[in-house]
């Protein structure tokens, strides 16, 4: 359970300790311990990725932004550019890993149960089961959640936040940690722009307000628009 975002058993700890007046200090200590442990596993993952010369991307978003559809389209159109492996994170089911495997690419599903994010320890175990090809690409699809995954380094080179145009354009302001932690924002479902009220300029301004350096690319997993730019962005960073 995630003590960092305050859900699950942290609340129990809070109730339990309330009468002793030490709840806040204890919560902060648990949070620090969890993140320190995670940082150790993330460093180990990063060392392994360096060894196999693999570029790892951590895809984060709220549920339903189209992360899996984007990965399927990216693999289908540009999969020949790099050896690809995928780690899928969801609370339940292996549906997303099955969608990835249908493209012919290896995929491992992690089910977090009640957990609201992947952590570096889980990702390390999933990496044990993957053959990471030299100069390859590891795509990690995190649990759909714009809060907790921001705090957990998985050992990736970059976080890629996906925001779809069916969501609110003010999400970067509401969930600033995630947009501050990401190097790229993919504005997905761009093919729907003529049919929805979504102010692209306002959204881009909001994202840049929390992260002036963030790169923004409108894309569509459905029409394929914008994906060449994203594939080129990956190629420019892929070890090789
Ligand atoms: Mg998915």
């Amino acid at each position: 359970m995630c003590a960092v975002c305050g859900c699950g058993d942290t609340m129990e700890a809070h109730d339990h300790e309330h009468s002793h007046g030490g709840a806040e200090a204890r919560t902060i200590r648990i949070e620090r311990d969890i993140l320190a442990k995670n940082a150790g596993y993330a460093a180990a993952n990063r060392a392994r990725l360096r060894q196999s010369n693999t570029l790892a991307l951590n895809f984060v978003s709220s549920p339903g932004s189209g992360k899996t559809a984007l990965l399927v389209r990216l693999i289908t159109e540009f999969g020949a550019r790099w050896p690809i492996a995928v780690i899928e994170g969801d609370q339940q089911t292996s549906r997303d890993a099955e969608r990835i495997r249908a493209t012919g690419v290896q995929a491992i599903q992690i089910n977090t149960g009640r957990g609201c994010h992947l952590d570096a320890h889980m990702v390390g175990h999933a990496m044990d089961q993957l053959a990471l090809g030299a100069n390859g690409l590891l795509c990690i699809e995190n649990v759909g959640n714009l809060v907790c995954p921001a705090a957990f380094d998985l050992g990736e080179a970059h976080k890629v936040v996906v925001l779809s145009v069916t969501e609110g354009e003010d999400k970067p302001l509401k969930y600033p940690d995630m947009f501050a932690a990401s190097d790229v924002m993919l504005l997905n479902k761009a093919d729907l722009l003529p049919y929805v009220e979504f102010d692209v300029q306002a959204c881009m301004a909001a994202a840049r307000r929390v992260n002036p350096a963030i790169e923004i690319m409108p894309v569509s997993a459905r029409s394929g628009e914008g994906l060449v730019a994203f594939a080129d962005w990956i190629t420019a960073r892929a070890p090789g």
Side-chain angles (χ1 to χ4, degrees):
M1 214 40 53
C2 178
V4 172
C5 61
C7 67
D9 52 12
T10 304
M11 293 313 289
E12 276 167 43
H14 182 88
D15 290 344
H16 178 70
E17 299 255 324
H18 194 71
S19 55
H20 308 290
E24 203 177 322
R26 182 165 179 225
T27 303
I28 290 167
R29 198 174 65 239
I30 291 170
E31 178 179 328
R32 217 186 286 132
D33 288 352
I34 288 173
L35 288 178
K37 230 183 208 177
N38 186 72
Y41 286 117
N45 290 350
R46 198 162 271 124
R48 283 172 68 184
L49 290 161
R50 205 179 302 121
Q51 225 162 28
S52 62
N53 224 19
T54 302
L55 177 74
L57 301 178
N58 180 3
F59 290 80
V60 291
S61 79
S62 49
S65 67
K67 293 187 297 305
T68 313
L70 269 176
L71 288 177
V72 166
R73 184 92 192 212
L74 185 75
I75 291 164
T76 307
E77 280 195 41
F78 303 97
R81 290 197 190 184
W82 331 271
I84 303 179
V86 176
I87 295 172
E88 283 289 339
D90 278 300
Q91 288 196 319
Q92 299 289 345
T93 84
S94 49
R95 298 173 74 102
D96 284 1
E98 283 158 20
R99 286 167 69 187
I100 299 293
R101 281 190 211 112
T103 67
V105 158
Q106 54 180 337
I108 299 292
Q109 180 79 51
I110 299 174
N111 284 142
T112 58
R114 288 174 64 199
C116 48
H117 60 87
L118 294 176
D119 65 37
H121 186 234
M122 299 170 186
V123 168
H125 276 303
M127 281 165 60
D128 291 342
Q129 299 170 62
L130 291 167
L132 296 176
N135 307 328
L137 176 65
L138 173 64
C139 295
I140 305 166
E141 182 183 335
N142 218 313
V143 178
N145 174 349
L146 275 177
V147 184
C148 314
F152 286 82
D153 181 8
L154 305 179
E156 75 273 5
H158 305 280
K159 280 189 179 70
V160 176
V161 63
V162 181
L163 180 62
S164 64
V165 305
T166 54
E167 303 172 58
E169 63 249 330
D170 52 359
K171 273 197 176 164
L173 301 177
K174 290 179 172 173
Y175 304 97
D177 288 353
M178 187 60 89
F179 292 83
S182 300
D183 295 312
V184 180
M185 177 171 84
L186 298 180
L187 212 44
N188 192 29
K189 309 188 188 179
D191 56 301
L192 295 180
L193 278 171
Y195 315 107
V196 293
E197 281 185 38
F198 185 91
D199 187 336
V200 173
Q201 293 307 318
C203 183
M204 288 168 66
R208 290 191 175 121
R209 203 163 119 193
V210 297
N211 182 354
I214 199 165
E215 287 198 51
I216 302 171
M217 299 177 207
V219 298
S220 168
R222 191 158 164 240
S223 71
E225 71 182 271
L227 282 178
V228 177
F230 183 51
D232 288 349
W233 182 91
I234 294 171
T235 297
R237 280 151 191 85

